[in-house]
């Protein structure tokens, strides 16, 4: 924990040395999905970014409480204060219960995250399971005078708040600009000002998801859940709050306002945001036809894809860019990642059979190189999670291994051990890559053993003069494409 981890704080717009509130514990909150559709690239990127942060903090020795919420109520279409609830709308379309929609897509989300080797968070709270906490928060903000009731709904009074605090502190937006660009939307006349946002909405008669409150039968505003649930599980003040850049405004700006209004101070020490994903240089959008979901990537079933891409290729590709840069998905770029990753994994597997070719320290160059690779990987991770540099150093390690295989560089037993350690630590534990090719190797080994077993049975049959069985095994394997040769000591086979 002596390592100086630098984190880029969106709030201060600079890299800061990470210092948690408690010596060896970290509280981390990341906005999870609104579960009303199949998980796509826009879900994969924050999940993978903060999974790597979770893994790295754990690797540094911190006990991390990682909370990632599930939005299952209150997120209205257009991310605004009017219109239908996204989940209720989907439920109506498919003639399902809203919670049926939630469960269905939550299962899909979990399945996709598991394929991507994203570790489950410590707590995964649902907004609908925390209505009491949200009502209490609305009451707190009302009591402090930063909200008002109107026709059974409760709105946050942005102008009043901005007189004492800074609304726009995170996004850098200026209230005058917001006022001049915000149009009045339908049904917003109950607000004092168009920039105000809903804390509680009175439900219209046809609205399905509704709860009793002091103000009306209704439902919480979208931004409320994260403030209420982070406070419940991580306290009034906690270390890291993350999410995609698209959440900076209004979602996270409103979270800050709610938290400052209710407690008098900001709750988050470090705000972190991952950049967006584009497809062939374009923003993803349902209307653009480039909205590719994760299952379509894994199966290669979208018309823009020329092949399928494994979950590890997607993960590796995302980590080849720094989390604050955009990532552009294209077949060419993904194919390059696929090749790069399989080269890295194949080389890593070679370490298992590589024989030491020198005495420890006998090669003046290589031991120093390997130790410096460790240092460089650590340095890169400490520099605001610079995963592309970590990957570049792992490729350098692969180059050393390949030179040793080719006999142009010698590696001692200790070097080989260090290299294994390097891959285990950075590629597998920190970057969270699964060794898919190792699984392939394992099945190839099992397959070979099964063929040996059959041919041994054939030899026994021959010894017992059971020609029928011996011929049957030989003929059927030959028909399957095997070439079998009897030798002095037994047999040889190939496909
Ligand atoms: Zn949130």
């Amino acid at each position: 924990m002596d390592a100086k981890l630098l984190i880029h704080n969106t709030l201060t717009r600079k890299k800061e040395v990470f210092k948690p509130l408690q010596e060896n514990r970290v509280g981390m909150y990341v906005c999870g999905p609104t579960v009303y559709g199949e998980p796509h690239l826009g879900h994969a990127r924050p999940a993978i970014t903060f999974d790597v942060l979770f893994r790295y903090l754990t690797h540094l020795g911190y006990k991390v409480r990682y909370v990632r919420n599930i939005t299952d109520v209150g997120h209205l279409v257009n991310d605004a204060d009017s219109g239908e609830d996204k989940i209720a709308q989907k439920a109506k379309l498919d003639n399902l219960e809203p919670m049926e929609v939630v469960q269905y897509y939550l299962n899909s989300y979990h399945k996709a995250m598991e394929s991507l080797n994203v570790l489950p968070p410590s707590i995964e709270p649902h907004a609908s399971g925390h209505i009491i906490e949200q009502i209490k928060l609305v009451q707190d903000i009302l009591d402090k005078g930063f909200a008002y009731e109107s026709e059974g709904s409760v709105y946050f009074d942005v102008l009043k708040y901005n007189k004492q605090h800074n609304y726009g502190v995170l996004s850098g937006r200026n209230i005058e600009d917001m006022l001049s660009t915000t149009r009045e939307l339908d049904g917003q006349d109950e607000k004092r000002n168009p920039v105000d946002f809903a804390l509680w909405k009175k439900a219209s008669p046809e609205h399905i998801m509704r709860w009793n409150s002091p103000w009306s039968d209704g439902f919480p505003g979208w931004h409320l859940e994260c403030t209420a649930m982070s406070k419940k599980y991580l306290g009034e003040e906690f270390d890291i709050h993350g999410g995609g850049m698209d959440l900076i405004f209004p979602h996270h700006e409103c979270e800050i306002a709610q938290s400052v209004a209710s407690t008098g101070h900001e709750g988050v020490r470090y705000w972190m945001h991952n950049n967006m994903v584009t497809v062939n240089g374009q923003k993803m959008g349902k209307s653009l036809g480039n909205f590719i979901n994760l299952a379509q990537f894994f199966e290669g079933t979208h018309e823009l894809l020329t092949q399928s891409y494994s979950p590890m290729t997607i993960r590796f590709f995302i980590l080849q860019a720094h989390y604050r840069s955009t990532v552009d998905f294209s077949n060419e770029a993904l194919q390059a990642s696929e090749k790069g990753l399989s080269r890295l994994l194949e080389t890593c597997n070679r370490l298992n059979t590589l024989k030491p070719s020198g005495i420890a320290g006998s090669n003046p160059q290589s031991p120093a190189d390997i130790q410096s690779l460790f240092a460089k990987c650590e340095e890169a991770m400490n520099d605001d999670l610079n995963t592309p540099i970590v990957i570049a150093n792992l490729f350098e390690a692969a180059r050393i291994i390949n030179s040793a295989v080719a006999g142009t560089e010698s590696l001692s037993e200790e070097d080989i051990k260090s290299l294994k350690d390097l891959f285990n630590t950075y590629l597998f534990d920190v970057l969270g890559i699964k060794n898919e090719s190792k699984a392939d190797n394992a099945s190839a080994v099992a397959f070979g053993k099964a063929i040996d077993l059959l041919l041994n049975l054939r030899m026994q049959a021959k010894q017992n003069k059971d020609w029928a069985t011996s011929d049957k095994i030989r003929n059927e394997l030959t028909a399957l494409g095997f070439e079998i040769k009897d030798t002095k000591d037994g047999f040889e086979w190939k496909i």
Side-chain angles (χ1 to χ4, degrees):
M1 258 174 278
D2 305 325
K4 270 205 172 20
L5 168 62
L6 290 171
I7 283 181
H8 182 271
N9 191 344
T10 316
L11 191 67
T12 58
R13 293 160 182 80
K14 60 180 185 220
K15 286 185 200 169
E16 294 172 12
V17 177
F18 177 65
K19 232 176 119 19
L21 282 159
Q22 289 180 59
E23 203 193 329
N24 53 9
R25 288 177 182 273
V26 175
M28 172 170 149
Y29 188 95
V30 173
C31 293
T34 302
V35 278
Y36 70 107
E38 289 296 344
H40 53 76
L41 287 176
H43 293 111
R45 193 156 192 211
I48 290 171
T49 300
F50 294 102
D51 181 54
V52 168
L53 178 61
F54 181 33
R55 285 166 178 271
Y56 190 56
L57 289 168
T58 307
H59 164 79
L60 291 178
Y62 292 111
K63 276 200 165 54
V64 187
R65 183 180 292 164
Y66 176 16
V67 183
R68 189 184 65 208
N69 69 302
I70 296 297
T71 297
D72 57 358
V73 65
H75 195 169
L76 306 184
V77 286
N78 305 324
D79 301 348
D81 283 343
S82 62
E84 237 179 317
D85 183 292
K86 290 188 180 192
I87 286 152
Q89 187 185 52
K90 182 79 185 153
K92 212 189 278 172
L93 270 174
D94 296 352
N95 199 18
L96 296 168
E97 270 295 316
M99 284 305 140
E100 240 175 326
V101 171
V102 167
Q103 192 64 58
Y104 180 84
Y105 291 114
L106 184 56
N107 292 346
S108 284
Y109 180 75
H110 283 156
K111 200 172 147 212
M113 291 305 118
E114 201 185 329
S115 310
L116 290 166
N117 208 22
V118 168
L119 298 172
S122 328
I123 307 176
E124 196 175 49
H126 290 223
S128 66
H130 296 76
I131 300 294
I132 291 167
E133 288 82 353
Q134 294 182 75
I135 290 175
K136 165 88 174 48
L137 181 60
V138 176
Q139 193 59 59
D140 286 349
I141 300 172
L142 274 169
D143 292 347
K144 297 274 161 70
F146 291 112
Y148 56 90
E149 193 190 333
S150 173
E151 317 270 338
S153 293
V154 180
Y155 292 98
F156 192 94
D157 192 338
V158 171
L159 288 190
K160 186 167 178 198
Y161 172 82
N162 194 55
K163 279 191 186 128
Q164 293 173 44
H165 305 283
N166 181 1
Y167 184 76
V169 65
L170 183 72
S171 59
R173 292 189 190 207
N174 165 301
I175 197 116
E176 279 75 37
D177 293 347
M178 281 183 240
L179 284 170
S180 65
T181 53
T182 319
R183 322 176 262 137
E184 283 287 345
L185 296 167
D186 290 341
Q188 288 203 339
D189 35 307
E190 42 186 59
K191 287 184 188 180
R192 284 183 193 162
N193 198 293
V195 292
D196 294 348
F197 59 89
L199 297 174
W200 186 264
K201 287 280 283 182
K202 181 183 174 176
S204 58
E206 66 278 9
H207 197 98
I208 324 170
M209 289 186 280
R210 57 203 300 143
W211 289 266
N212 205 292
S213 82
W215 316 286
S216 63
D217 237 27
F219 56 94
W222 171 37
H223 317 303
L224 203 63
E225 60 177 281
C226 293
T227 309
M229 297 191 292
S230 60
K231 186 174 163 191
K232 179 176 169 104
Y233 297 110
L234 300 171
E236 259 184 26
E237 207 182 344
F238 60 96
D239 300 300
I240 300 170
H241 192 318
M245 243 171 70
D246 54 334
L247 294 178
I248 292 177
F249 192 89
H251 189 53
H252 291 162
E253 197 72 75
C254 294
E255 275 189 47
I256 292 179
Q258 291 168 159
S259 157
V260 173
S262 60
T263 66
H265 60 83
E266 163 62 295
V268 176
R269 309 256 300 199
Y270 305 88
W271 281 94
M272 291 177 77
H273 293 93
N274 63 273
N275 211 319
M276 298 288 99
V277 166
T278 53
V279 176
N280 297 321
Q282 272 188 314
K283 215 181 139 173
M284 275 198 326
K286 291 227 160 92
S287 55
L288 295 169
N290 66 356
F291 212 84
I292 313 175
N293 67 44
L294 291 169
Q296 289 171 324
F297 270 105
F298 302 161
E299 287 151 21
T301 47
H302 192 279
E303 56 176 14
L304 287 177
L305 301 175
T306 53
Q307 62 167 89
S308 64
Y309 298 98
S310 77
M312 281 310 108
T313 301
I314 302 286
R315 182 172 180 116
F316 190 66
F317 180 62
I318 286 176
L319 294 175
Q320 279 182 302
H322 187 262
Y323 75 91
R324 286 192 289 120
S325 316
T326 51
V327 164
D328 185 45
F329 278 74
S330 66
N331 284 295
E332 299 71 37
L334 279 166
Q335 280 155 12
S337 275
E338 185 180 49
K339 271 201 199 99
L341 178 62
S342 77
R343 220 169 56 222
L344 210 52
L345 291 173
E346 273 162 27
T347 311
C348 176
N349 289 337
R350 281 185 185 165
L351 277 173
N352 297 323
T353 50
L354 191 63
K355 298 274 181 294
S357 51
I359 308 153
S362 72
N363 184 338
Q365 257 194 336
S366 63
D369 276 345
I370 297 158
Q371 288 318 310
S372 76
L373 287 177
F374 261 100
K376 283 175 185 168
C377 285
E378 190 186 334
E379 211 177 285
M381 283 306 293
N382 282 341
D383 184 17
D384 194 29
L385 314 183
N386 202 333
T387 55
I389 302 287
V390 175
I391 291 170
N393 282 295
L394 293 172
F395 274 115
E396 174 56 19
R399 190 201 57 76
I400 295 173
I401 297 164
N402 287 327
S403 305
V405 171
T408 56
E409 195 147 1
S410 72
L411 289 173
S412 67
E413 206 175 326
E414 210 171 286
D415 295 336
I416 294 174
K417 208 175 144 279
S418 296
L419 282 162
K420 280 185 189 167
D421 207 17
L422 181 78
F423 278 99
N424 282 336
T425 305
Y426 285 100
L427 187 63
F428 303 128
D429 290 351
V430 173
L431 298 187
I433 294 293
K434 265 192 300 200
N435 197 345
E436 285 171 332
S437 84
K438 200 164 158 189
D440 288 351
N441 281 359
S443 48
V445 168
F447 174 75
K449 283 189 175 160
I451 302 299
D452 287 349
L453 186 75
L454 266 175
L455 290 173
N456 275 318
L457 283 174
R458 174 171 168 261
M459 269 173 62
Q460 268 175 29
K462 265 166 74 180
Q463 275 160 15
N464 298 336
K465 306 209 169 2
D466 178 1
W467 309 116
T469 305
S470 153
D471 288 350
K472 186 177 162 62
I473 293 174
R474 186 195 174 96
N475 294 343
E476 295 205 357
L477 282 175
T478 307
L480 287 171
F482 288 89
E483 215 176 277
I484 295 150
K485 218 166 92 185
D486 291 315
T487 64
K488 202 158 56 130
D489 314 314
F491 53 82
E492 273 174 12
W493 63 267
K494 63 177 180 188
I495 305 175

